[in-house]
Structures are given as C-alpha cells and as structure tokens.
Amino acid sequence: MTAPRRCVNPVGTHGQGGNGALRIVPRGPMRKSPATTSFDETAMTAPRFFALIPAAGAGARMGLDGPKQYAQLGGRAVIDRTLDAFRACPAITATFVVLSPDDRAFEWASEEVVPLYCGGATRRDSVLAGLEAMGEQVRPDDWVLVHDAARPGVTVELIERLIAECRDDAVGGLLALPVADTLKRAEDAVAADHARGTVTVERSGLWAAQTPQMFRSELLLRALRASDQVTDEAGAVEALGLRPKLVRGSPRNFKLTYRDDLALAAALFGAH
C-alpha cells in the first residue's frame, strides 16, 4: 500500500488562513463578510457538498508531453474547463484539487478552489490524502463529490441531478450510463492494438461508471482506508458491502484518456 503524502497548501494561496491551516470561505447565500470564516446556523447543521478533484496523474496513455489535465482545449487547460461546472454550481461549498507535490502549473486557486499538493501514486492515494488534508473543515456527514480532472464535459445540471438523487440516500451514488455497446473480452489484456476477442460479455445490467461519485466524508474515508486496490470510490464503498446508487449521467461527460479524445472534446466545446 502506498502511504498518502502529507498535504501542503502553500502560504499565499487563496483558501488558507494566516496560520497555514486550510480555510473554507462559504459561497452564495451562506457567505458572510470577508473577515469571518464561520458558517451560519443552517450551514452548521445541514450537510454541505464539497468537490474533490484528483489531478496528480501523468496521463501516460494520452502520450502528451505533460499531464493531460493541462492539455489545451480551445485555448484553456482541460482542468480549468472541468472546474467551470463546480465554480458555477450554487450547491458546492468549495472545490479541493489534489495535485502532485511537484506541480507548478496549477493557476486557478481562489476562495472556492483550494489546491492541495499531496497527490499520490494512484487515484485512491490522492483522494484519500485529499480527504485527510481537508480534515476538520469537512464534517463526517458532509458530502464529497469526487470528480475526474479529465472530464471537462460535466455540467451544473449533472452535478445537481446527482445531488438531488443522492442527498437523502443512506449510501450515496455516482453518475453512470447503461452500457450500450457489445462488449468483447480480449485474449491478451495488454496488447490493446492487436488483441483478439475470445468471448462476448453479456451487457445486461452493466453500467459504465462516470464521475462525480458522491459519498459522505466519513464513509469515503473509511472505505478508502480499507481498500488500496480500487479504481474508483464506488468500488471502495462496494467493498464494504454497500450498494451505491446509479444515477444516469451523460455521454458528454466522457473521460479524456487517449489522444483522439481531445479532438472529441474540442468538437463538444466548439473549440477547433
């Protein structure tokens, strides 16, 4: 198991108090004067919604010179476009972005977007390190929406749909789509360019997971600490014997994984 790195939020970065501790400034109707960092009574009792975006990966499968989250998409970085929906969603109190400790490219910190320089070797390590760094700023019953940095097609509508469907759920859930394509199992999982099919996989009941994936902070921490071989948060929660809710997502919310995906995203945003 790879131990999560201790998170660092550098002095001078928005979202940090003068003593170096993380500071969350509420948005929308919960915001008070700039001099205060406390929430009103309603905010202190009602669970809040935080976004957590792991963005410490190298994106090797895309074959670019740098991390794919910084690839240009119509003159803007992919991660900047991904942040758009969370910055615009009134329900999101703050968005935390988990970065590599060596990252020097992130430039979108604000009162509502807080960088955490503690990304790990895997997605699970980065998300766990981010949750631990958020610490007491996020209560056990607050909701955390974990989203891929390389899914710039997410919208406010999708985020609000997920929140509406899961906010009263005992477990939480994730955006997903029923699998429509016929699925083939390859004889060699490594030879992606020259594989041969061995069997057709029954697709009935199969869904393709998307993000955000939304769970309460305490549950997500417990699940990730117990599982170090999962590829997403829902998998960690399922390993506890729980069943996350599947909420219909959208084809536009696809993940940029290969170089050709950038061309699809450019068409989506009208950025050629």
Side-chain angles (χ1 to χ4, degrees):
M1 181 186 303
T2 303
R5 296 173 182 264
R6 179 179 180 274
C7 256
V8 177
N9 189 9
V11 174
T13 298
H14 291 289
Q16 177 176 330
N19 62 355
L22 291 178
R23 175 174 63 88
I24 299 173
V25 179
R27 63 184 298 166
M30 296 194 305
R31 179 168 298 195
K32 291 188 176 182
S33 68
T36 184
T37 59
S38 61
F39 296 100
D40 61 23
E41 292 182 2
T42 300
M44 289 302 293
T45 56
R48 299 163 299 173
F49 304 93
F50 294 91
L52 179 61
I53 300 179
R61 284 179 292 180
M62 188 163 282
L64 302 177
D65 292 334
K68 63 184 177 182
Q69 58 266 30
Y70 294 122
Q72 290 296 297
L73 195 55
R76 296 174 59 196
V78 167
I79 192 169
D80 186 27
R81 289 190 178 275
T82 299
L83 286 167
D84 278 348
F86 295 94
R87 288 183 292 225
C89 183
I92 300 297
T93 299
T95 298
F96 293 88
V97 183
V98 183
L99 304 164
S100 165
D102 301 323
D103 191 300
R104 298 295 180 268
F106 190 80
E107 57 184 40
W108 299 278
S110 67
E111 289 184 341
E112 297 164 353
V113 177
V114 183
L116 301 172
Y117 293 86
C118 57
T122 66
R123 173 198 177 98
R124 173 263 182 191
D125 292 344
S126 293
V127 173
L128 178 55
L131 287 168
E132 291 176 338
M134 290 157 69
E136 295 180 357
Q137 296 289 333
V138 178
R139 300 190 304 269
D141 64 337
D142 284 337
W143 292 97
V144 178
L145 285 74
V146 183
H147 185 69
D148 294 324
R151 289 187 190 266
V154 69
T155 63
V156 173
E157 179 185 1
L158 286 171
I159 296 170
E160 291 181 338
R161 180 189 305 170
L162 179 65
I163 290 175
E165 290 286 338
C166 295
R167 67 187 307 159
D168 296 322
D169 193 85
V171 177
L174 63 150
L175 292 180
L177 283 176
V179 172
D181 294 326
T182 297
L183 301 178
K184 300 289 184 179
R185 188 178 303 281
E187 61 181 355
D188 186 348
V190 178
D193 294 331
H194 306 285
R196 290 181 178 273
T198 60
V199 66
T200 297
V201 179
E202 173 57 47
R203 69 186 179 210
S204 176
L206 294 181
W207 289 60
Q210 296 186 336
T211 65
Q213 302 194 4
M214 172 178 158
F215 301 100
R216 294 190 186 273
S217 173
E218 186 277 332
L219 172 60
L220 194 50
L221 270 169
R222 178 159 51 93
L224 291 173
R225 285 170 175 164
S227 301
D228 62 351
Q229 299 297 320
V230 293
T231 57
D232 69 353
E233 296 67 46
V237 171
E238 290 160 0
L240 295 179
L242 302 174
R243 296 188 296 175
K245 187 173 186 177
L246 300 176
V247 179
R248 182 176 288 272
S250 168
R252 67 167 284 140
N253 189 28
F254 65 93
K255 185 178 181 180
L256 306 185
T257 303
Y258 301 105
R259 189 181 291 266
D260 289 347
D261 294 335
L262 278 174
L264 291 174
L268 174 65
F269 287 101
H272 301 283

